[in-house]
Amino acid sequence: MTVVQEKSNERRVVANVLRGSVGNLIEWYDWYAYTAFSIYFAAAFFPKGDQTAQLLNTAAVFAVGFLMRPLGGWLLGRYADRHGRRAALTLSVTLMALGSLIIALTPSYATIGVAAPILLVLARLLQGLSVGGEYATSATYLSEVASPARRGFYSSFQYVTLTAGQLVALGVQIVLQQFLSKPEMSAWGWRIAFVIGATGAIIVMWLRRGMDESENFEQQKANTDKGTFKALLRHPKECLLVVGLTLGGTVAFYTYTTYLQKFMVNTSKIDAATVSWINFAALLVFVVLQPVAGALSDRIGRRPLLLGFGVLGTLATVPLLSTLAHTSEAFPAFLLMLGGLVIVTGYTSINAIVKAELFPTNIRALGVGLPYALTVAIFGGTAEYVALWFKQAGMEKVFFYYVAGCVLISLLVYGFMRETSKDSVLDRD
């Protein structure tokens, strides 16, 4: 291959990664807008009560959305393996647009009574289907279009855009906080975020139609065993490995990102507007770290990063969260949150490529998506609810040990797994 051809292929890879990543960003913006703005709309969807009780209700609905992710991982993963990555990615963003639109337009509990939380649940079910399929298909697509020597780097952009979606949600929140009072934010201002999300998702639907299909999928078109449970059941060890890989990482990730915003308001007693800035700054650094760690994994392998996350996550979680619980100053809180995010980078930057390297093309999207989504639904989606439950019961510190214990289980898996970058199924297809 000539130098000109290599440069042309690399430009094509970059173009496909960018188009896929923009869609991923919008999807995750829509998903995280819920948790970013729940502190404002909790009272709109649920009867009046104390703040912790209302947040507990919104956290329960957040968890319900996660329960749909395994179904989304199965349906859209199967669809991606049978009909193509591009088609599945377009379908997932359509579902997300519909869910955001429902949330934006649903009247409050005071207006339509119990129908309000019912519609909120319906919207989160659609969004749960969407992200359940989005993760698997996006991880599969990025791994398949990436240059073999830079798979860790390019695949890390899944969490770059995933976290960037959360950053955009926080950015929208910060901007709205500058122009609207807290009563205005609670009354109607939060709806603006979901209108933005629905509009962005519609634009992405059009963009994704122009993406190239992956060559791996094109070469498997004649395969009649694509995306079936029969094919998936030939890889039980890999499915269990995905569960073990994901358990500690998903609990730590959702603790250090989505839950910490409420934790700093509800436990540390830091002003909500200040917490938004803390989250924004910490997550911005976190985004920058992803491709750095992904590129590092292309040089030294995936396992060293996973082992680093496992050891540090097990040992540092309890002291980090215990210290943050008694921290009311912004800068120390920022440093503590950033410390947690630096630790979890060892998982987030490479978890997509590690899972994609385990499965053959004909079952890759389903193999990555279903066991991952089941684990995230059971453990990641309930992390916030478990944390708030322990707080309401007066045993908040037990949650800190729960997170550390989940990371320890994953550490044991990392210790015995093979180095996937040196023995990748992607290289055999």
Side-chain angles (χ1 to χ4, degrees), residues 114-290:
V114 72
I118 289 174
L119 286 170
L120 180 65
V121 170
L122 173 63
R124 291 304 284 179
L125 293 179
L126 289 173
Q127 292 185 325
L129 278 174
S130 173
V131 295
E134 174 71 21
Y135 174 87
T137 311
S138 177
T140 299
Y141 184 76
L142 290 177
S143 68
E144 290 177 349
V145 301
S147 311
R150 305 189 74 189
R151 284 182 184 137
F153 172 73
Y154 283 123
S155 294
S156 72
F157 280 88
Q158 181 168 45
Y159 264 83
V160 168
T161 51
L162 187 157
T163 309
Q166 187 171 3
L167 271 175
V168 174
L170 284 169
V172 169
Q173 184 184 59
I174 289 169
V175 170
L176 290 176
Q177 285 171 340
Q178 307 310 305
F179 294 96
L180 300 176
S181 65
K182 189 171 181 179
E184 288 173 329
M185 286 287 289
S186 299
W188 56 269
W190 60 267
R191 296 182 186 273
I192 296 173
F194 293 98
V195 171
I196 292 171
T199 304
I202 292 169
I203 294 171
V204 168
M205 286 167 54
W206 176 77
L207 287 175
R208 281 188 164 174
R209 295 179 66 182
M211 291 167 57
D212 293 330
E213 186 55 84
S214 79
E215 291 183 9
N216 296 65
F217 175 79
E218 294 288 356
Q219 293 168 2
Q220 291 282 326
K221 272 191 170 181
N223 191 328
T224 58
D225 203 21
K226 300 192 299 289
T228 64
F229 266 118
K230 181 180 178 182
L232 183 63
L233 290 175
R234 299 192 193 111
H235 305 276
K237 181 180 177 181
E238 287 78 6
C239 289
L240 290 173
L241 191 55
V242 170
V243 173
L245 281 165
T246 304
L247 173 59
T250 189
V251 172
F253 176 75
Y254 283 102
T255 297
Y256 290 129
T257 55
T258 58
Y259 178 60
L260 274 202
Q261 185 176 20
K262 296 179 181 64
F263 181 80
M264 284 188 274
V265 172
N266 213 21
T267 297
S268 303
K269 304 301 180 184
I270 303 173
D271 178 71
T274 302
V275 168
S276 295
W277 281 107
I278 292 171
N279 273 253
F280 189 88
L283 290 172
L284 186 61
V285 178
F286 181 64
V287 165
V288 174
L289 290 174
Q290 302 311 297

